[in-house]
Structures are given as structure tokens and as C-alpha cells.
Amino acid sequence: MNFRSIVKHIESLPALSDTTQVVQKLYENGAENVDVKELVQAIEEDVVLTLNILKMINSPLYGLSNKITSISQAVTLFGTHIVYGLVVRYSIESAIIANLRPYGLSNSKFNDVCHMQSTLMSKWYSKVKSKDAQFLAPLALVMESGKLVVAQEVTQHTNIKEFINGLKNAPNISEYENSLFGTSSYYVSGLLFEHWNLDSIYVDMLKGLDFEHDGASKMGYYIDILDVVRIAVNVVSIFTEESIADAAEIVSDLGLDVADFKAVCISIKETYLKNNS
């Protein structure tokens, strides 16, 4: 198992669902220019997609006081950016059926991690720059998708227990993945997005996440913000004291409010623990 086998794996994946492709076309000119009526209609014509989006949005992690019962309500409350992320996330999970056991967690917990990453991006960074938070939150929701491919590869070609033990002892998830496959699961996420012709800027950000980049550029700054989120909460560390502290160091380097960032992390963690106690 190596980088080449992962690339071949991705190239063999089928196209995303017809509904997702219709939604993609609606977003061709930017989320802010999407015809909401057409978006709602496109999603609601797919009953299974509709039910799954409503299920995800009504997760306790989002802390809604009232249940969302329609896609129209979801778009109004969350905006077109998040709804796009939810459509893509469900479509990717449908295209790549994987057991996340190699990463030492259930698919349900993996799903929680992805939603916590998006929630952190939304709740924390919206206080810094709301428009950018709307753009980055959907990416945070799906940036771990590459782990679905890696998990399939590990399950088929590697000793799962050996992989799990190696991951536990590794100082960094991406470094461990690189040592085995010559790439990280985040770069694999970028390859997935490229394969399915999803947003090119998301592709570039995911591919650049584990490489040296110019933090002074807009792209580099976005990557740093994404890095903050994946360090604070990920498949190995779910808002631990250490992961929050490590992420807060980057927040500080970026000149942002550390206390506010930590408060949002703790709030999301408490909600998660409350609903899983």
C-alpha cells in the first residue's frame, strides 16, 4: 500500500450522486449567488438526502432550541454554504463506505468529530470574520474525508491493530500517515475533491495543509485557520487540554483572541460530553 495505490483507489470511485451534481451546478457562480428556491427543490427531490441533512442539522452538537423540519428552514438558518457542505459530506460517505476502525473510533464518533470541527470553525471564526467563517465551515465539515479512503486501504492491505498502535504512539497523525503512505489523509481529501471537480480553492487548501506555506497570503492564512481547528479536535484528540493548548498557540501567532477561542472549544466539548454521557 502506497501513494500510487491510493491514487488508483480514488480514480476508481464513481461519480457523486445526480442530486449532488445538480447542486454543484447551482453553486458554480458562488454560494452567495445560489437560487435558494432551486436549491431547496433539488435537495427535497432526493428523500434520502433530505432525511440525512435534517438528521445532521438536528444533532445536539449544533445546540438548536427548535427542531428543523425542512430544507428551507435549514437554508434560512445555516445559509447556503453549510447546506452545500452537508450535501457534499453525505454524498462522499455514500460513495466511500468505510469502517473507521483503523483510526480507533466508530463511524458515529468520526461523524461527531467532523461536525465538531465545522461547529468550531463556525462559532469561533464567525466572531473574527463572519463571511470567511461561512466559507470555511463547510470545508471543516468534510476535510477528514480522506480518512475514509485511507481506512479502506488499511483494512484491505494492512494489519489494523498494528496501524492503530502506531497511530497511538505517533506524535502527529499526518506524519504517521506520511511515513506509511507517502501522503496525509488531508492531501487525499484534496485528491477526492479534485476527482469530483469540487471547489478548486478547497482542493488547494487541503493539499497545502501539511506543507510549508506563506502565512501572509490569503490562502496561507486560510490554511492556518483550518490547521487551528484540526489540531483542537481530531480523530485522536477531541478537545483535550493539550490539543486546545497547541491550537491556541497558532491562534496567538495569528494575533487572535486566545481566551475567546478556548471558551468556544470548552463549550463545544461540554455539549459533546453531555450528549454522550
Side-chain angles (χ1 to χ4, degrees):
M1 179 177 59
N2 52 34
F3 180 70
R4 183 176 296 179
S5 68
I6 288 176
V7 171
K8 286 184 177 180
H9 187 143
I10 292 172
E11 290 174 345
S12 71
L13 292 172
L16 295 179
S17 69
D18 291 343
T19 301
T20 304
Q21 293 181 55
V22 169
V23 171
Q24 268 185 270
K25 288 182 180 179
L26 294 175
Y27 280 79
E28 283 180 342
N29 297 316
E32 64 279 1
N33 297 313
V34 169
D35 185 312
V36 173
K37 185 176 180 180
E38 287 187 23
L39 174 63
V40 171
Q41 182 178 346
I43 295 173
E44 289 186 338
E45 285 180 355
D46 189 324
V47 177
V48 176
L49 175 61
T50 297
L51 291 174
N52 276 279
I53 286 179
L54 293 178
K55 179 181 178 181
M56 286 187 278
I57 280 182
N58 285 298
S59 164
L61 289 172
Y62 287 101
L64 300 177
S65 55
N66 296 309
K67 186 175 182 180
I68 302 300
T69 58
S70 70
I71 297 299
S72 179
Q73 281 182 290
V75 174
T76 299
L77 184 62
F78 287 90
T80 53
H81 287 85
I82 288 293
V83 170
Y84 176 67
L86 291 168
V87 170
V88 171
R89 174 165 176 71
Y90 175 70
S91 190
I92 289 175
E93 286 186 339
S94 298
I96 310 173
I97 308 300
N99 187 324
L100 273 299
R101 186 167 156 248
Y103 282 95
L105 73 172
S106 65
N107 285 49
S108 175
K109 193 169 183 179
F110 176 74
N111 185 60
D112 286 346
V113 168
C114 295
H115 282 279
M116 280 189 277
Q117 288 176 327
S118 181
T119 301
L120 175 58
M121 181 67 79
S122 182
K123 291 189 175 182
W124 162 56
Y125 202 65
S126 62
K127 297 181 180 181
V128 180
K129 197 167 184 180
S130 179
K131 187 175 181 180
D132 283 354
Q134 291 174 18
F135 161 71
L136 291 169
L139 178 56
L141 181 65
V142 295
M143 69 177 172
E144 302 287 354
S145 300
K147 287 184 173 59
L148 295 169
V149 173
V150 173
Q152 281 190 335
E153 286 286 306
V154 171
T155 301
Q156 293 173 14
H157 306 293
T158 307
N159 184 296
I160 294 178
K161 288 185 179 180
E162 185 178 322
F163 181 87
I164 292 173
N165 290 331
L167 186 62
K168 286 180 180 178
N169 297 319
N172 180 287
I173 299 173
S174 293
E175 285 182 15
Y176 180 62
E177 291 170 338
N178 262 297
S179 71
L180 295 177
F181 321 121
T183 190
S184 75
S185 56
Y186 298 102
Y187 193 90
V188 174
S189 294
L191 292 177
L192 281 173
F193 272 48
E194 196 169 47
H195 174 69
W196 284 314
N197 296 313
L198 298 171
D199 304 60
S200 59
I201 190 170
Y202 283 175
V203 171
D204 292 340
M205 288 172 65
L206 289 166
K207 284 186 172 183
L209 197 53
D210 289 313
F211 292 91
E212 291 288 334
H213 57 271
D214 179 11
S217 69
K218 190 171 185 179
M219 175 71 71
Y221 183 78
Y222 282 157
I223 290 174
D224 285 338
I225 296 300
L226 202 62
D227 197 24
V228 168
V229 170
R230 66 150 178 182
I231 289 174
V233 54
N234 53 72
V235 297
V236 173
S237 304
I238 300 178
F239 292 122
T240 63
E241 287 186 16
E242 184 178 1
S243 69
I244 293 174
D246 288 344
E249 286 187 18
I250 302 176
V251 173
S252 178
D253 290 342
L254 293 171
L256 302 177
D257 191 322
V258 171
D260 187 58
F261 170 74
K262 288 184 175 180
V264 174
C265 287
I266 292 170
S267 174
I268 297 172
K269 178 181 181 179
E270 288 177 346
T271 299
Y272 175 71
L273 291 176
K274 179 182 178 181
N275 290 294
N276 287 275
S277 58

